[in-house]
Each structure stands twice: as C-alpha cells, then as structure tokens.
Amino acid sequence: MEQRWQDALVARAQERLPAAVFRYFADGAGDGLTTAEAEQAWLRVRLAPRVLTDVSRVDLSSEVLGATVTTPIAIAPSSLQRLAHPDGELAMARAAAATGTLLCVPSNAGTLFSEIGDTGATWWLQLYVPEDRSLIEPVLERAAAAGARAIAVTVDAAGTRVRADLDEALDEEAAGYRLNHDDPALLGPPGHAADLGPDDLARVARLTGLPVVVKGVSRADDALRSVQAGADAVWVSNHGGRQLDRTVATAQSLGAIRDQLARDVPVFVDGGVRSGLDVLAGLALGADAVFLGRLPLYGLAAGGEAGVVEVLERVREELESALRRAGCTRPEDARGLVANQTNGP
C-alpha cells in the first residue's frame, strides 16, 4: 500500500527535529487517548452525497468573521514554532499570506506581531489570560496595531501551562517564547488564570474592538453560555488532547454545539484534522472553518515556508475534490451531508 502523504510528512519532520521537540509537538496529555482518538473520530463520520448537480466549477472562497479567505481551511496556533524551524511563525505567516489562508498566531509567538502583520496574512491572535489581567493589555494593543482581525481566547487551559512529560527541557529562549510580552512573570508560575469568566471576554473586546472567539469548547451548554457572555464565535477544540486526557473528540461534539447556537454565530473546529475529506466532514457537521494544527507544524519542520504551503495546497486540493464528489460547489453546500446512520440524511 502506498504511504499516505501525511505519514511521509510526519516522518520527514521527525527526522529533522530533536527527539524532545518532536515529542512535545506530537504527544498529548496523560495516556494520549484523546490525541490518538482525534483522527479516528473524523474517519467515522459518514456522508450522503448529492447527485444530479452541476459541479463543473467549485469555489472554496469563504468569509470568516468579516474576512474573505480563499478556503475554509485555516491554521491553528502552535507554541514554540521556532523550534520546528528558525523562521517559526514568520514562515507560517508567509505561507498563509501566499495561499490566502487564515492564520491564528499564538500569544507566546517567537515573532513580533508587527512582522507577522507585514506579511499581509489574515490573522487572529490566540490569547492565554494570566492571573494578573493587566499583563495582557500591551499584548492586545500590539496585536490590534499589527492588524489582528480577531482574538481567540483559550478557555480550556486554566491554571497550568500545557506540556508533555519530557525527559529534557525545551529551549524556550531559543524559541523567542513570549517575545511580544513585557513582563517576565508571564514566563512561569502562576500561569494561566483559573478564574476565567464572562468579564474576561468583555475586557478583551473593550480593549481591542475586535471580535472575540472562545477557543476550547467541548460542550453545547458552554458554547451557549459563551455566546450569551458576548463571544462572537465559538471554536470547538480540546487543545489537541494536550490538556485533559479522555476528553471527547471534536468530531463527536461539533454537531451538538452547532445545533445549540443560532445560525448566524460562527463555529470553528480543530483536532485530528488530517485531510481535505476531514475538512469536508467538519463543514458537513456545521463548522464555518476548519483549523489544521499539527499538519502545518510538521510542514514547517519538514520544509519551512514551502513545507507549510505544500500542506495547505494538498489539503485544499483534497477538499475541492471531495466537495465535487459530494455534489457541492461551495463549502456551505456541505451542511447537511452527514448521514443519519439509521434513517439517512
């Protein structure tokens, strides 16, 4: 059997990375069950294609929180990208700009926000809220000034910083960790706030004037509470299985969350997405955009900016082919393709 391009990509990345760095990127929390189940959960989604439709032309362009992008495929934030490649987030941003892809930049980026903005990429800032809320103000100001289009507040990492159990420490200084922050207190304990609440969403919105996305939702009731608290969009995510092991796969929770919210509330998803067919499944379950996490990171490790572009183009090609075969000409046409295993679509 021919090796999947995704498996070959992971192998190339592993060859080029120190063992501790690769393990940090690849591993999940606890026994790694959530991380391992993520990809399989998308494989279990079943679709009921439409027929007798003209699919001679497929248009993947999408609008995400007011920004027009070439595809509903986006790049999720990943920490310590300069340990994957010396150009780190800058290479990722250039790849996003070259392909017209939405990029979410980690708040602990090793590249200045101003440099990311200069690439011309459409980008959001992912934000961890520290216990001392005042520490985020300069970070948000810099991101807004550099052209960030939204703030994705991570809500599923309360109290601790996420780390795989490593035999050796990673060189965060070499990664430029927290380059965009002023206060060294953000580098260590006490870490992320354990008392996140609605006021934090309102504060971020007030400080930036930007849309606020709540990232890290696994429950429909939490999704509704987030919107009621002022969130402009909900991002279904379990932190790549790196926070709480045995957390439900996002492919399993996405549909119920979409059904709980009004149609005009955007919903996004990540977690185990490895192909254009997975993206189609995410769109069919109700996502407005689907984020890739580890795949672009492995592309960065394997080939820098060009490696990320290759990943994005491959997944885009797979999505276009999958949409056509499913009888769809636009990403939004995928809504409703999921088959009821008993009664059909």
Side-chain angles (χ1 to χ4, degrees):
M1 179 181 297
E2 183 179 356
Q3 184 182 35
R4 298 193 317 158
W5 70 264
Q6 296 92 336
D7 297 332
L9 173 68
V10 174
R12 291 204 309 273
Q14 187 170 11
E15 288 174 359
R16 298 187 180 193
L17 292 173
V21 174
F22 178 79
R23 185 181 172 195
Y24 170 71
F25 291 153
D27 280 4
D31 296 321
L33 295 176
T34 297
T35 301
E37 290 172 356
E39 183 174 349
Q40 292 300 313
W42 291 112
L43 297 178
R44 288 192 290 269
V45 176
R46 294 295 176 265
L47 307 171
R50 298 185 177 94
V51 297
L52 299 179
T53 58
D54 182 358
V55 292
S56 54
R57 182 176 180 181
V58 175
D59 180 4
L60 296 184
S61 63
S62 303
E63 183 174 304
V64 184
L65 288 184
T68 300
V69 289
T70 60
T71 165
I73 303 162
I75 303 173
S78 301
S79 294
L80 306 183
Q81 292 182 25
R82 283 175 57 188
L83 296 186
H85 187 277
D87 292 339
E89 295 87 358
L90 186 58
M92 197 77 82
R94 287 171 173 163
T99 57
T101 302
L102 172 66
L103 167 71
C104 190
V105 175
S107 59
N108 53 25
T111 301
L112 291 172
F113 297 152
S114 58
E115 293 183 88
I116 291 170
D118 287 345
T119 67
T122 300
W123 67 284
W124 299 350
L125 174 68
Q126 173 266 340
L127 180 70
Y128 288 117
V129 178
E131 291 185 357
D132 182 352
R133 298 333 195 245
S134 68
L135 296 176
I136 67 172
E137 294 182 13
V139 181
L140 292 173
E141 290 172 1
R142 287 170 184 156
R149 301 293 293 267
I151 308 297
V153 180
T154 295
V155 296
D156 64 344
T160 59
R161 290 168 60 197
V162 180
R163 285 288 184 272
D165 295 326
L166 299 175
D167 296 328
E168 58 184 280
L170 299 177
D171 189 350
E172 293 183 354
E173 184 176 351
Y177 199 63
R178 306 284 192 178
L179 181 66
N180 294 282
H181 296 256
D182 289 331
D183 197 310
L186 283 170
L187 291 173
H192 307 150
D195 58 346
L196 283 172
D199 289 347
D200 289 300
L201 304 183
R203 181 185 181 87
V204 170
R206 184 174 65 253
L207 287 171
T208 65
L210 297 172
V212 175
V213 181
V214 172
K215 179 182 182 295
V217 178
S218 293
R219 298 172 56 96
D221 54 355
D222 281 343
L224 182 59
R225 287 198 307 120
S226 297
V227 173
Q228 292 171 341
D232 296 282
V234 169
W235 187 333
V236 182
S237 176
N238 58 29
H239 220 108
R242 297 166 64 81
Q243 183 63 16
L244 175 66
D245 201 14
R246 306 190 192 183
T247 298
V248 63
T250 54
Q252 294 175 289
S253 57
L254 173 59
I257 290 173
R258 172 72 276 174
D259 290 344
Q260 180 70 56
L261 302 177
R263 183 62 196 94
D264 61 350
V265 177
V267 174
F268 314 117
V269 69
D270 68 22
V273 180
R274 299 291 184 266
S275 69
L277 193 52
D278 291 344
V279 175
L280 176 60
L283 298 174
L285 285 166
D288 295 278
V290 178
F291 284 77
L292 308 178
R294 287 181 172 90
L295 272 187
L297 188 60
Y298 292 143
L300 179 67
E305 176 186 343
V308 179
V309 169
E310 179 183 357
V311 166
L312 296 174
E313 290 182 342
R314 278 184 175 270
V315 177
R316 176 192 171 94
E317 291 169 0
E318 291 175 347
L319 175 60
E320 182 174 347
S321 175
L323 279 169
R324 180 173 282 112
R325 294 171 187 274
C328 302
T329 61
R330 297 293 306 269
E332 54 264 36
D333 295 342
R335 191 67 48 81
L337 286 182
V338 175
N340 180 307
Q341 298 303 301
T342 302
N343 301 316

